[in-house]
Coordinates of all heavy atoms in Angstrom, one line a residue:
M720 N 84.9 88.8 121.8 CA 84.3 90.2 121.8 C 85.4 91.1 121.3 O 86.5 91.2 121.8 CB 83.8 90.5 123.1 CG 83.1 91.8 123.2 SD 82.3 92.0 124.8 CE 81.0 93.1 124.4
S721 N 85.0 92.0 120.3 CA 86.0 92.9 119.7 C 85.9 94.2 120.4 O 84.9 94.7 120.9 CB 85.6 93.1 118.3 OG 86.4 94.0 117.7
D722 N 87.1 94.9 120.5 CA 87.1 96.2 121.1 C 86.8 97.3 120.1 O 86.7 98.5 120.4 CB 88.5 96.5 121.7 CG 88.8 95.6 122.9 OD1 87.8 95.2 123.5 OD2 90.0 95.4 123.2
R723 N 86.6 96.9 118.8 CA 86.3 97.9 117.8 C 84.8 98.3 117.9 O 83.9 97.5 118.1 CB 86.6 97.3 116.4 CG 88.0 97.1 116.2 CD 88.2 96.8 114.7 NE 88.6 95.4 114.7 CZ 88.6 94.6 113.6 NH1 88.3 95.2 112.5 NH2 89.0 93.4 113.7
P724 N 84.6 99.6 117.7 CA 83.2 100.1 117.8 C 82.5 99.7 116.5 O 83.1 99.5 115.4 CB 83.3 101.6 117.9 CG 84.7 101.9 117.3 CD 85.5 100.7 117.6
E725 N 81.2 99.5 116.6 CA 80.4 99.2 115.4 C 80.2 100.5 114.6 O 79.9 101.6 115.2 CB 79.0 98.6 115.8 CG 79.1 97.2 116.3 CD 79.4 96.2 115.3 OE1 79.0 96.4 114.1 OE2 80.2 95.3 115.6
I726 N 80.3 100.4 113.3 CA 80.1 101.6 112.5 C 78.8 101.5 111.8 O 78.4 100.6 111.2 CB 81.2 101.7 111.4 CG1 82.6 101.8 112.0 CG2 81.0 102.9 110.4 CD1 83.7 101.7 111.1
E727 N 78.0 102.5 112.1 CA 76.6 102.6 111.5 C 76.7 103.5 110.3 O 77.2 104.6 110.3 CB 75.6 103.1 112.5 CG 75.4 102.2 113.7 CD 74.3 102.8 114.6 OE1 73.4 103.5 114.1 OE2 74.4 102.5 115.8
I728 N 76.1 103.1 109.2 CA 76.0 103.9 108.0 C 74.7 104.8 108.1 O 73.6 104.3 108.2 CB 75.9 103.0 106.7 CG1 77.1 102.1 106.6 CG2 75.7 103.9 105.5 CD1 77.1 101.2 105.4
Q729 N 75.0 106.1 108.2 CA 73.9 107.0 108.3 C 73.3 107.4 106.9 O 72.1 107.3 106.8 CB 74.4 108.3 109.0 CG 74.9 108.0 110.4 CD 73.8 107.6 111.4 OE1 72.7 107.9 111.2 NE2 74.2 106.7 112.3
R730 N 74.2 107.7 106.0 CA 73.7 108.1 104.6 C 74.8 107.6 103.7 O 76.0 107.5 103.9 CB 73.6 109.6 104.5 CG 72.6 110.2 105.3 CD 72.5 111.7 105.0 NE 71.6 112.3 105.9 CZ 72.0 113.2 106.8 NH1 73.2 113.6 106.8 NH2 71.2 113.7 107.6
Q731 N 74.3 107.2 102.5 CA 75.2 106.8 101.5 C 75.1 107.8 100.3 O 74.0 108.2 100.0 CB 75.0 105.4 100.9 CG 76.0 104.9 99.9 CD 76.0 103.4 99.7 OE1 75.3 102.7 100.4 NE2 76.8 103.0 98.8
T732 N 76.3 108.2 99.8 CA 76.3 109.2 98.7 C 77.0 108.6 97.5 O 77.7 107.7 97.6 CB 77.0 110.5 99.2 OG1 78.3 110.2 99.5 CG2 76.3 111.2 100.3
A733 N 76.7 109.2 96.4 CA 77.3 108.8 95.1 C 77.5 110.1 94.3 O 76.8 111.1 94.5 CB 76.5 107.8 94.4
F734 N 78.5 110.1 93.4 CA 78.7 111.2 92.5 C 77.6 111.2 91.5 O 77.3 110.2 90.8 CB 80.0 111.1 91.9 CG 81.2 111.4 92.8 CD1 82.0 110.4 93.3 CD2 81.4 112.7 93.2 CE1 83.0 110.7 94.2 CE2 82.5 113.0 94.1 CZ 83.2 111.9 94.6
G735 N 77.0 112.4 91.3 CA 75.9 112.5 90.3 C 76.5 112.9 88.9 O 77.8 112.9 88.8
D736 N 75.7 113.1 88.0 CA 76.1 113.4 86.6 C 76.9 114.7 86.6 O 77.8 114.9 85.7 CB 74.9 113.5 85.7 CG 74.3 112.2 85.5 OD1 75.0 111.1 85.6 OD2 73.1 112.1 85.2
D737 N 76.6 115.7 87.5 CA 77.4 116.9 87.5 C 78.6 116.9 88.3 O 79.3 117.9 88.5 CB 76.4 118.0 88.0 CG 75.9 117.8 89.4 OD1 76.2 116.7 89.9 OD2 75.3 118.7 89.9
G738 N 79.0 115.7 88.9 CA 80.2 115.6 89.7 C 80.0 115.9 91.1 O 81.0 115.8 91.9
Q739 N 78.9 116.3 91.6 CA 78.6 116.6 93.0 C 78.1 115.4 93.7 O 77.5 114.5 93.1 CB 77.6 117.7 93.1 CG 78.0 119.0 92.4 CD 79.1 119.7 93.2 OE1 79.2 119.6 94.4 NE2 80.1 120.2 92.4
L740 N 78.4 115.3 95.0 CA 77.9 114.2 95.8 C 76.4 114.4 96.1 O 76.0 115.4 96.4 CB 78.7 114.1 97.1 CG 80.1 113.5 97.1 CD1 80.7 113.6 98.5 CD2 80.0 112.1 96.7
E741 N 75.7 113.3 95.9 CA 74.3 113.3 96.1 C 73.9 112.1 97.1 O 74.5 111.0 96.9 CB 73.5 113.1 94.8 CG 73.8 114.2 93.8 CD 73.2 114.0 92.5 OE1 72.6 112.9 92.3 OE2 73.3 114.8 91.6
V742 N 73.0 112.3 98.0 CA 72.5 111.3 98.9 C 71.7 110.3 98.1 O 70.8 110.7 97.3 CB 71.7 111.9 100.0 CG1 71.2 110.8 100.9 CG2 72.6 112.8 100.8
T743 N 72.0 109.0 98.2 CA 71.2 108.0 97.5 C 70.3 107.2 98.4 O 70.7 107.0 99.6 CB 72.2 107.0 96.8 OG1 73.0 106.4 97.8 CG2 73.0 107.7 95.7
E744 N 69.2 106.8 97.9 CA 68.3 106.0 98.8 C 68.6 104.5 98.8 O 68.4 103.8 99.7 CB 66.9 106.2 98.2 CG 66.4 107.6 98.3 CD 66.3 108.1 99.7 OE1 66.0 107.4 100.6 OE2 66.6 109.3 100.0
T745 N 69.3 104.0 97.7 CA 69.6 102.6 97.6 C 71.2 102.5 97.7 O 71.9 103.5 97.4 CB 69.2 102.0 96.3 OG1 69.8 102.7 95.2 CG2 67.7 102.1 96.1
S746 N 71.6 101.4 98.2 CA 73.1 101.2 98.3 C 73.7 101.0 96.9 O 73.1 100.4 96.0 CB 73.4 100.0 99.2 OG 72.9 98.9 98.6
V747 N 74.9 101.5 96.8 CA 75.7 101.4 95.6 C 76.8 100.4 95.8 O 77.6 100.6 96.7 CB 76.2 102.8 95.1 CG1 77.1 102.6 93.9 CG2 75.1 103.8 94.9
E748 N 76.8 99.3 95.0 CA 77.9 98.3 95.2 C 78.9 98.5 94.0 O 78.5 98.7 92.9 CB 77.3 96.9 95.1 CG 76.4 96.6 96.3 CD 76.0 95.2 96.3 OE1 76.7 94.3 95.7 OE2 75.0 94.9 97.0
T749 N 80.2 98.6 94.4 CA 81.2 98.7 93.4 C 82.2 97.5 93.5 O 82.2 96.8 94.6 CB 82.0 100.0 93.6 OG1 82.6 100.1 94.8 CG2 81.1 101.2 93.4
S750 N 83.0 97.4 92.5 CA 84.0 96.3 92.5 C 85.3 96.9 92.0 O 85.2 98.0 91.4 CB 83.5 95.2 91.6 OG 84.6 94.3 91.4
L751 N 86.3 96.3 92.3 CA 87.6 96.7 91.7 C 87.6 96.7 90.1 O 88.3 97.5 89.5 CB 88.8 95.9 92.2 CG 89.1 96.0 93.7 CD1 90.2 95.0 94.1 CD2 89.6 97.4 94.0
E752 N 86.7 95.9 89.6 CA 86.6 95.8 88.2 C 86.0 97.1 87.6 O 86.3 97.5 86.5 CB 85.6 94.7 87.8 CG 86.3 93.3 88.0 CD 85.3 92.2 87.8 OE1 84.1 92.3 88.0 OE2 85.8 91.1 87.3
D753 N 85.2 97.8 88.4 CA 84.7 99.1 88.0 C 85.8 100.2 87.8 O 85.6 101.1 87.1 CB 83.7 99.7 89.0 CG 82.5 98.8 89.2 OD1 82.2 98.0 88.2 OD2 81.9 98.8 90.3
F754 N 86.9 99.9 88.4 CA 88.1 100.8 88.2 C 89.2 100.3 87.4 O 90.3 100.8 87.4 CB 88.6 101.2 89.6 CG 87.6 101.8 90.5 CD1 86.9 101.1 91.4 CD2 87.3 103.2 90.4 CE1 85.9 101.6 92.2 CE2 86.4 103.8 91.2 CZ 85.7 103.0 92.1
G755 N 88.9 99.2 86.6 CA 89.8 98.7 85.6 C 90.7 97.6 86.1 O 91.6 97.2 85.4
A756 N 90.5 97.1 87.3 CA 91.4 96.1 87.8 C 91.0 94.7 87.3 O 89.8 94.5 87.1 CB 91.4 96.1 89.4
D757 N 91.9 93.9 87.1 CA 91.7 92.5 86.7 C 91.4 91.7 88.0 O 92.2 91.6 88.9 CB 92.8 91.9 85.9 CG 93.0 92.5 84.6 OD1 92.0 92.9 84.0 OD2 94.2 92.6 84.1
V758 N 90.2 91.1 88.1 CA 89.9 90.3 89.2 C 89.7 88.8 88.8 O 89.1 88.5 87.9 CB 88.5 90.8 89.9 CG1 88.1 90.0 91.1 CG2 88.6 92.3 90.2
D759 N 90.4 88.0 89.6 CA 90.4 86.5 89.3 C 89.1 85.9 90.0 O 89.0 86.0 91.2 CB 91.7 85.9 89.9 CG 91.8 84.5 89.5 OD1 91.0 84.0 88.7 OD2 92.7 83.8 90.0
H760 N 88.3 85.4 89.1 CA 87.0 84.8 89.7 C 87.0 83.3 89.7 O 86.0 82.6 89.9 CB 85.8 85.2 88.8 CG 85.5 86.7 88.9 ND1 84.9 87.3 90.0 CD2 85.8 87.7 88.1 CE1 84.8 88.6 89.9 NE2 85.3 88.9 88.7
R761 N 88.3 82.7 89.6 CA 88.3 81.2 89.6 C 88.0 80.7 91.0 O 88.3 81.4 92.0 CB 89.8 80.8 89.2 CG 90.1 81.0 87.8 CD 91.5 80.5 87.5 NE 92.4 81.4 88.2 CZ 93.7 81.2 88.3 NH1 94.2 80.1 87.7 NH2 94.5 82.0 88.9
D762 N 87.4 79.6 91.1 CA 87.2 78.9 92.4 C 88.5 78.4 92.9 O 89.2 77.7 92.2 CB 86.1 77.8 92.2 CG 84.7 78.3 91.9 OD1 84.5 79.5 92.3 OD2 84.0 77.6 91.3
R763 N 88.8 78.7 94.1 CA 90.0 78.3 94.8 C 89.7 77.2 95.8 O 88.7 77.2 96.4 CB 90.7 79.5 95.5 CG 91.0 80.6 94.6 CD 92.3 80.5 94.0 NE 92.6 81.7 93.2 CZ 93.6 81.7 92.4 NH1 94.5 80.7 92.4 NH2 93.9 82.8 91.7
D764 N 90.7 76.3 95.9 CA 90.5 75.3 97.0 C 90.8 75.9 98.3 O 91.7 76.7 98.5 CB 91.6 74.1 96.8 CG 91.3 73.3 95.5 OD1 90.1 73.3 95.1 OD2 92.2 72.7 94.9
S765 N 89.9 75.6 99.2 CA 90.0 76.1 100.6 C 91.2 75.5 101.3 O 91.5 74.3 101.1 CB 88.7 75.8 101.4 OG 88.9 76.1 102.7
R766 N 91.9 76.2 102.1 CA 93.0 75.7 102.9 C 92.5 74.6 103.9 O 93.2 73.7 104.3 CB 93.8 76.7 103.6 CG 94.6 77.6 102.6 CD 95.5 78.5 103.4 NE 96.4 77.7 104.1 CZ 97.7 78.0 104.2 NH1 98.2 79.0 103.6 NH2 98.4 77.2 105.0
L767 N 91.2 74.7 104.2 CA 90.6 73.8 105.1 C 90.4 72.4 104.4 O 90.4 71.4 105.1 CB 89.3 74.3 105.6 CG 89.3 75.6 106.5 CD1 87.9 76.0 106.8 CD2 90.1 75.3 107.7
D768 N 90.4 72.4 103.1 CA 90.2 71.2 102.3 C 91.5 70.5 102.1 O 91.5 69.4 101.6 CB 89.5 71.5 101.0 CG 88.1 72.0 101.2 OD1 87.5 71.7 102.3 OD2 87.5 72.7 100.3
Q769 N 92.6 71.1 102.4 CA 93.9 70.5 102.2 C 94.1 69.3 103.2 O 93.6 69.4 104.3 CB 95.0 71.5 102.3 CG 95.0 72.5 101.1 CD 96.1 73.5 101.3 OE1 96.8 73.6 102.2 NE2 96.2 74.3 100.2
P770 N 94.9 68.3 102.8 CA 95.0 67.2 103.7 C 95.8 67.6 104.9 O 96.6 68.5 104.9 CB 95.8 66.2 102.9 CG 96.3 66.9 101.7 CD 95.5 68.1 101.5
E771 N 95.6 66.9 106.0 CA 96.3 67.2 107.3 C 96.8 65.9 107.9 O 96.3 64.8 107.5 CB 95.3 67.9 108.2 CG 94.1 67.2 108.6 CD 93.1 68.0 109.5 OE1 93.1 69.2 109.3 OE2 92.5 67.3 110.3
A772 N 97.7 66.0 108.8 CA 98.2 64.9 109.5 C 97.2 64.3 110.4 O 96.3 64.9 110.9 CB 99.5 65.3 110.2
C773 N 97.3 62.9 110.6 CA 96.4 62.3 111.5 C 96.6 62.6 113.0 O 95.7 62.5 113.8 CB 96.4 60.8 111.2 SG 97.9 60.0 111.7
E774 N 97.8 62.9 113.3 CA 98.1 63.3 114.7 C 99.3 64.2 114.8 O 100.1 64.4 113.8 CB 98.4 62.0 115.6 CG 99.6 61.3 115.1 CD 99.8 60.0 116.0 OE1 99.2 59.0 115.7 OE2 100.7 60.1 116.9
F775 N 99.5 64.9 115.9 CA 100.5 65.9 116.1 C 101.9 65.2 116.0 O 102.1 64.2 116.6 CB 100.4 66.6 117.4 CG 101.4 67.6 117.7 CD1 101.4 68.8 117.0 CD2 102.5 67.3 118.5 CE1 102.4 69.8 117.2 CE2 103.5 68.3 118.7 CZ 103.4 69.5 118.1
G776 N 102.8 65.8 115.2 CA 104.2 65.3 115.1 C 104.4 64.3 114.1 O 105.5 63.8 113.9
V777 N 103.3 63.8 113.4 CA 103.4 62.8 112.4 C 102.9 63.4 111.1 O 101.8 63.8 110.9 CB 102.6 61.5 112.7 CG1 102.6 60.5 111.6 CG2 103.0 61.0 114.0
D778 N 103.8 63.5 110.1 CA 103.4 64.1 108.8 C 103.1 62.9 107.8 O 104.0 62.4 107.1 CB 104.5 65.0 108.2 CG 104.1 65.7 107.0 OD1 102.9 65.6 106.6 OD2 104.9 66.4 106.4
D779 N 101.9 62.5 107.8 CA 101.5 61.4 106.9 C 100.6 61.9 105.8 O 99.8 61.1 105.2 CB 100.8 60.3 107.7 CG 99.6 60.8 108.5 OD1 99.3 62.0 108.5 OD2 98.8 59.9 109.1
R780 N 100.7 63.2 105.5 CA 100.0 63.7 104.4 C 100.5 63.1 103.1 O 101.7 62.8 103.0 CB 100.1 65.2 104.3 CG 99.5 65.9 105.6 CD 99.8 67.4 105.6 NE 101.2 67.6 105.7 CZ 101.8 68.7 105.6 NH1 101.1 69.8 105.3 NH2 103.1 68.9 105.7
P781 N 99.7 63.1 102.0 CA 100.1 62.5 100.7 C 101.2 63.5 100.1 O 101.1 64.7 100.3 CB 98.9 62.5 99.9 CG 97.9 63.3 100.6 CD 98.2 63.4 102.0
E782 N 102.1 62.9 99.4 CA 103.2 63.7 98.7 C 102.5 64.6 97.7 O 101.6 64.1 96.9 CB 104.2 62.8 98.1 CG 105.1 62.1 99.1 CD 106.1 63.1 99.8 OE1 106.5 64.0 99.1 OE2 106.3 62.9 101.0
V783 N 103.0 65.8 97.5 CA 102.6 66.7 96.5 C 103.6 66.7 95.4 O 104.8 66.8 95.6 CB 102.4 68.1 97.0 CG1 102.0 69.1 95.9 CG2 101.4 68.2 98.2
E784 N 103.1 66.5 94.2 CA 104.0 66.4 93.0 C 104.5 67.9 92.7 O 103.7 68.8 92.6 CB 103.3 65.8 91.8 CG 103.1 64.4 91.9 CD 102.5 63.8 90.6 OE1 102.8 64.3 89.5 OE2 101.8 62.8 90.7
Q785 N 105.8 68.0 92.6 CA 106.3 69.3 92.2 C 106.6 69.3 90.8 O 107.3 68.4 90.3 CB 107.6 69.6 93.0 CG 107.4 69.6 94.5 CD 106.7 70.9 94.9 OE1 106.7 71.9 94.3 NE2 106.0 70.8 96.1
T786 N 106.2 70.3 90.0 CA 106.5 70.4 88.6 C 107.5 71.5 88.4 O 107.5 72.5 89.1 CB 105.2 70.7 87.8 OG1 104.7 71.9 88.3 CG2 104.2 69.6 88.0
S787 N 108.4 71.2 87.5 CA 109.4 72.3 87.2 C 109.0 73.2 86.1 O 109.7 74.1 85.7 CB 110.7 71.6 86.8 OG 110.5 70.8 85.6
E788 N 107.7 73.0 85.6 CA 107.2 73.9 84.6 C 106.7 75.2 85.3 O 106.1 75.1 86.3 CB 106.1 73.2 83.8 CG 106.6 72.0 83.1 CD 105.4 71.3 82.4 OE1 104.3 71.9 82.3 OE2 105.6 70.1 82.1
G789 N 106.9 76.3 84.6 CA 106.3 77.5 85.1 C 107.0 78.7 84.5 O 107.9 78.6 83.7
D790 N 106.6 79.9 84.9 CA 107.1 81.1 84.3 C 108.3 81.6 85.1 O 108.9 82.6 84.7 CB 106.0 82.2 84.3 CG 104.9 81.8 83.4 OD1 105.1 81.0 82.4 OD2 103.8 82.4 83.6
Q791 N 108.6 81.0 86.2 CA 109.7 81.6 87.0 C 111.0 80.9 86.7 O 111.1 79.8 86.3 CB 109.4 81.3 88.5 CG 108.2 82.1 89.0 CD 108.0 81.9 90.5 OE1 108.7 81.2 91.1 NE2 107.0 82.6 91.0
S792 N 112.0 81.7 86.8 CA 113.4 81.2 86.5 C 114.1 81.1 87.9 O 113.7 81.7 88.9 CB 114.2 82.2 85.6 OG 113.5 82.3 84.4
T793 N 115.2 80.3 87.9 CA 115.9 80.2 89.1 C 116.8 81.5 89.3 O 117.2 82.1 88.3 CB 116.9 79.0 89.0 OG1 117.7 79.1 87.9 CG2 116.1 77.7 88.9
L794 N 117.1 81.8 90.6 CA 117.9 83.0 90.9 C 119.4 82.7 90.7 O 120.1 83.6 90.5 CB 117.6 83.4 92.3 CG 116.2 84.0 92.5 CD1 116.0 84.4 94.0 CD2 116.1 85.3 91.7
F795 N 119.8 81.4 90.9 CA 121.2 81.1 90.9 C 121.4 80.0 89.8 O 120.5 79.2 89.6 CB 121.6 80.6 92.2 CG 121.5 81.6 93.3 CD1 120.4 81.7 94.1 CD2 122.5 82.5 93.5 CE1 120.3 82.6 95.1 CE2 122.4 83.5 94.5 CZ 121.3 83.5 95.3
A796 N 122.6 80.0 89.2 CA 122.9 79.1 88.2 C 123.1 77.7 88.7 O 123.5 77.5 89.9 CB 124.2 79.6 87.4
D797 N 122.8 76.7 87.9 CA 123.1 75.3 88.3 C 124.6 75.1 88.0 O 125.0 75.1 86.8 CB 122.2 74.3 87.5 CG 120.8 74.4 87.9 OD1 120.5 74.8 89.0 OD2 119.9 74.2 87.0
T798 N 125.4 75.0 89.0 CA 126.8 74.8 88.8 C 127.3 73.6 89.7 O 126.7 73.1 90.5 CB 127.6 76.1 89.3 OG1 127.3 76.3 90.7 CG2 127.1 77.3 88.5
D799 N 128.6 73.2 89.3 CA 129.2 72.2 90.2 C 129.6 72.9 91.5 O 129.7 74.1 91.6 CB 130.5 71.7 89.5 CG 130.1 70.9 88.2 OD1 129.0 70.4 88.2 OD2 131.0 70.9 87.3
E800 N 129.9 72.1 92.5 CA 130.2 72.6 93.8 C 131.4 73.4 93.9 O 131.4 74.4 94.6 CB 130.3 71.4 94.8 CG 130.4 71.8 96.2 CD 130.5 70.6 97.1 OE1 129.7 69.6 96.9 OE2 131.3 70.6 98.1
N801 N 132.4 73.1 93.1 CA 133.7 73.9 93.1 C 133.9 74.8 91.9 O 135.0 75.2 91.7 CB 134.9 72.9 93.3 CG 134.9 71.9 92.1 OD1 134.0 71.9 91.3 ND2 136.0 71.1 92.1
Q802 N 132.8 75.0 91.1 CA 133.0 75.8 90.0 C 133.2 77.3 90.3 O 132.6 77.8 91.3 CB 131.7 75.7 89.1 CG 131.9 76.3 87.7 CD 130.7 76.0 86.8 OE1 129.9 75.1 87.1 NE2 130.6 76.7 85.7
Q803 N 134.1 78.0 89.6 CA 134.4 79.4 89.9 C 134.1 80.3 88.7 O 134.0 79.8 87.6 CB 135.9 79.5 90.2 CG 136.3 78.8 91.5 CD 137.8 79.1 91.8 OE1 138.5 79.5 91.0 NE2 138.1 78.7 93.1
T804 N 133.9 81.6 89.0 CA 133.7 82.6 87.9 C 135.0 82.9 87.3 O 136.1 82.5 87.8 CB 133.0 83.8 88.5 OG1 133.9 84.4 89.5 CG2 131.7 83.5 89.2
L805 N 135.0 83.7 86.3 CA 136.3 84.1 85.6 C 137.1 85.0 86.6 O 138.4 85.0 86.5 CB 136.0 84.9 84.4 CG 135.4 84.1 83.2 CD1 135.1 85.0 82.0 CD2 136.4 83.0 82.8
A806 N 136.5 85.7 87.5 CA 137.2 86.5 88.5 C 137.7 85.7 89.7 O 138.3 86.3 90.5 CB 136.3 87.7 88.9
G807 N 137.4 84.4 89.7 CA 137.9 83.6 90.8 C 136.9 83.4 91.9 O 137.2 82.8 92.9
G808 N 135.7 84.0 91.8 CA 134.7 83.9 92.9 C 133.9 82.6 92.8 O 134.0 81.8 91.8
D809 N 133.1 82.3 93.8 CA 132.3 81.1 93.8 C 131.1 81.2 92.8 O 130.2 82.1 93.0 CB 131.8 80.8 95.2 CG 131.1 79.5 95.4 OD1 131.2 78.7 94.5 OD2 130.4 79.3 96.4
A810 N 131.0 80.4 91.8 CA 130.0 80.5 90.8 C 128.6 80.2 91.3 O 127.6 80.7 90.9 CB 130.3 79.7 89.6
A811 N 128.5 79.3 92.3 CA 127.2 78.9 92.8 C 126.5 80.0 93.6 O 125.3 80.0 93.7 CB 127.3 77.6 93.7
A812 N 127.3 80.9 94.2 CA 126.7 82.0 95.0 C 126.4 83.2 94.2 O 126.0 84.2 94.7 CB 127.6 82.3 96.1
R813 N 126.6 83.2 92.9 CA 126.3 84.4 92.0 C 124.9 84.4 91.5 O 124.5 83.5 90.8 CB 127.3 84.4 90.9 CG 127.2 85.6 90.0 CD 128.4 85.6 89.0 NE 128.3 86.7 88.1 CZ 128.7 87.9 88.4 NH1 129.3 88.2 89.5 NH2 128.5 88.9 87.5
C814 N 124.2 85.5 91.8 CA 122.8 85.6 91.4 C 122.8 85.9 89.9 O 123.6 86.7 89.3 CB 122.1 86.8 92.1 SG 120.4 87.0 91.7
L815 N 121.9 85.3 89.1 CA 121.8 85.5 87.7 C 121.2 86.8 87.3 O 121.4 87.3 86.2 CB 120.9 84.4 87.1 CG 121.4 83.0 87.2 CD1 120.4 82.0 86.7 CD2 122.7 82.8 86.3
F816 N 120.6 87.5 88.2 CA 119.9 88.8 87.9 C 120.5 90.0 88.5 O 119.9 91.0 88.7 CB 118.4 88.7 88.3 CG 117.7 87.5 87.6 CD1 117.5 86.3 88.2 CD2 117.3 87.7 86.3 CE1 116.8 85.3 87.6 CE2 116.6 86.6 85.6 CZ 116.4 85.4 86.3
E817 N 121.8 89.9 88.8 CA 122.5 91.1 89.3 C 122.7 92.1 88.2 O 122.9 91.7 87.1 CB 123.9 90.7 89.9 CG 123.8 89.9 91.2 CD 125.1 89.5 91.7 OE1 126.2 89.7 91.0 OE2 125.2 88.9 92.8
E818 N 122.7 93.3 88.6 CA 122.9 94.4 87.6 C 124.4 94.8 87.5 O 125.2 94.6 88.4 CB 122.1 95.6 88.0 CG 120.6 95.4 87.9 CD 119.8 96.6 88.3 OE1 120.4 97.7 88.3 OE2 118.6 96.4 88.5

């Protein structure tokens, strides 16, 4: 049971041709697309449909293949463990996108 009160719609209004609010008899449905937003209408897999373990504490779910393809770049350079920068710092800890 929720503590939130129920909100009843008494009247619905819409902007008329002259820019003034007018009471409408029918409901007006809008979407973010009406305001120029790009809305993704692809069907998504439900998280409920994802595989789950057979019992608590046992991860026997099938392995998910990781692909290295994508639009994202790594934040840190691939370096040797003891590689240093020209200034003598640790190269592995240097972010590639620092300003």
Side-chain angles (χ1 to χ4, degrees):
M720 183 172 208
S721 175
D722 291 335
R723 289 189 254 168
E725 289 292 322
I726 298 174
E727 293 183 29
I728 298 176
Q729 300 294 327
R730 294 186 189 116
Q731 185 162 354
T732 59
F734 288 104
D736 294 332
D737 59 354
Q739 298 294 320
L740 282 176
E741 300 172 354
V742 176
T743 58
E744 298 297 323
T745 58
S746 64
V747 177
E748 293 185 23
T749 60
S750 168
L751 292 174
E752 291 174 327
D753 296 335
F754 300 97
D757 292 328
V758 179
D759 185 8
H760 293 285
R761 291 181 290 174
D762 290 332
R763 303 273 181 185
D764 291 334
S765 168
R766 290 188 62 136
L767 297 175
D768 295 337
Q769 292 180 352
E771 59 186 31
C773 66
E774 63 183 81
F775 180 76
V777 178
D778 189 7
D779 58 353
R780 297 174 294 173
E782 288 289 324
V783 177
E784 288 186 31
Q785 298 289 335
T786 60
S787 60
E788 298 175 18
D790 295 337
Q791 295 184 357
S792 299
T793 58
L794 290 176
F795 298 94
D797 293 328
T798 61
D799 292 334
E800 188 174 318
N801 59 354
Q802 189 172 349
Q803 294 182 347
T804 63
L805 292 175
D809 186 15
R813 183 168 174 90
C814 182
L815 293 174
F816 300 100
E817 289 179 352
E818 292 182 15

